[in-house]
Amino acid sequence: MSSAAATLEARPVADDAYLFGRRAAWFAYAMTLALMVMDYVDRQVIVSLFPYMKTAWGLSDTQLGALVSVVSVTVALGALPVALFADRASRVKSIVTMAMVWSVACISCMFTRGFGQLLAARAAVGLGEAGYGSVGAALIASHFPARMRGALLAGFFACASVGSVLGVMLGGLIAARWGWQAAFGLVGVPGLLLALLYLKVRDYRTVALTPTLDTATRSVGGVLRHVGKALSRSPTMLFVCIGGAAQLIVVSAVWSWLPSFLNRVHGVEPDSAGLRAALIVLCGAIGSVAWGALVDRAGARRPRNKLLVLAALCLVSMVLLALAFGLPALGWALSHPAQFGLIAAGGFVMTCSVGPVSAVVIDVIHPGVRATGAAVLALFQNLFGLAIGPVIAGALSDAWGLPLALAAMPIFSILAAAAFVRAARTYEADAARACAAP
């Protein structure tokens, strides 16, 4: 046995029990949720500042989209190294460090004086946030019984929506009163305070690995090779990662560009546009919890039904959003309230995959590398989902105009639905194999 493995202890509790008891579990959950909110406040505050930045610096829509996407790119690149360290060391200390880094980086954005400087500062925000979703999900999954994970992880990732709501809303309100650069500084401070309080969360003991896993997880290169083998052995994980990323292309495009859409197309002032867009994001937050619970319920008797329901929900979101943005762009008369209602309905459904995909990945991964397995999903979601949506929509907007660009983006939901249907074929077998792993 290696020196690292010798210090590790076997799984401390059964999968149907609390790790340290209810009180410790719910405190860990509350703190992890609070930091997830601040993660996305700092990430999304910029979208309601687009009209101000376009006027002040003359940026193109592609450049504006890049300021959102660069965070997801650096999150994706850093997720595996951070999760690798967290799985082999301390989840709590890793989370504390991440929160401090992204908060300081967000505050630094207020001092930038051009596109290049702001792009670099935003990239630093992503480096701080890298791995937080996967490490936080692994910590929650280990604190709570398996039967509760789907709904709890849906709630955890719904906080991304809550944070996005607050970020979009606060960005517009702060910019209208103190200038758009001040918004970065004011939203960055709370994360620093929460990071210090997070030190009181109880960490879970690292799970002993098999000799193969212990060797594989000693380096990022080893992890990547192991991930490649794991994806080849677990079609469920591969196709769930593809489906989750594809659906997030749609989500990130709508969330990033809706304030600008309301400002340009309907003449809504930037601060009011931010507030209205925040309502759509709030619909997504509520929807992610509701659909997470529904998907859990759908899989109670036949687990594969979780993924089939997800596929159907993705297609519903595509229809609603395509109608909302496409009909007026093609010349069909649609009142502003009717259009906003359709966008809200689409926003409620389009976040359906947020919680369930994480639960499915955790179901089919070895317990000893849950954070690393979740980081693989985070890599797909950030690099091939969240990073792509704003830039593609921005580039299409520069070419076609923003209404047509947003009307075209829901087509990625078809890819998501197809991937989830394919994953359903192997989910039960892959989950049984992971459960039986030593």
Side-chain angles (χ1 to χ4, degrees), residues 172-397:
L173 293 175
I174 294 170
R177 287 159 178 77
W178 296 294
W180 62 269
Q181 287 176 306
F184 294 113
L186 291 177
V187 301
V189 173
L192 291 174
L193 302 177
L194 285 171
L196 297 176
L197 185 58
Y198 202 90
L199 288 169
K200 294 185 176 292
V201 172
R202 294 187 67 176
D203 206 350
Y204 66 86
R205 292 170 178 166
T206 306
V207 177
L209 304 181
T210 64
T212 299
L213 279 177
D214 183 61
T215 301
T217 57
R218 286 185 176 275
S219 67
V220 175
V223 169
L224 291 175
R225 288 189 292 272
H226 180 73
V227 165
K229 292 179 181 178
L231 290 174
S232 66
R233 288 196 304 266
S234 176
T236 304
M237 185 172 176
L238 173 61
F239 285 102
V240 165
C241 286
I242 292 172
Q247 187 64 13
L248 283 181
I249 292 176
V250 182
V251 174
S252 61
V254 173
W255 284 4
S256 296
W257 287 106
L258 189 56
S260 294
F261 173 83
L262 295 172
N263 174 251
R264 297 182 198 178
V265 176
H266 295 290
V268 181
E269 291 298 317
D271 55 341
S272 296
L275 288 172
R276 296 188 189 185
L279 291 176
I280 303 300
V281 180
L282 181 61
C283 287
I286 297 170
S288 63
V289 176
W291 301 124
L294 176 67
V295 168
D296 271 352
R297 193 182 186 94
R301 293 186 178 179
R302 187 75 188 275
R304 70 190 301 268
N305 289 342
K306 295 180 184 180
L307 291 161
L308 298 179
V309 169
L310 276 182
L313 291 170
C314 289
L315 295 178
V316 170
S317 73
M318 180 206 67
V319 172
L320 291 171
L321 292 171
L323 290 174
F325 293 112
L327 290 179
L330 295 175
W332 289 71
L334 193 63
S335 68
H336 177 51
Q339 183 183 34
F340 193 78
L342 275 175
I343 295 172
F348 178 69
V349 181
M350 71 181 179
T351 55
C352 58
S353 65
V354 171
V357 294
S358 296
V360 169
V361 166
I362 286 175
D363 284 345
V364 298
I365 202 73
H366 186 283
V369 285
R370 277 176 176 157
T372 304
V376 175
L377 174 63
L379 188 150
F380 271 81
Q381 289 181 320
N382 282 280
L383 195 58
F384 305 118
L386 296 174
I388 291 177
V391 169
I392 291 180
L396 292 178
S397 177

Side-chain angles (χ1 to χ4, degrees), residues 16 67 350:
D16 61 350
L67 290 171
M350 71 181 179

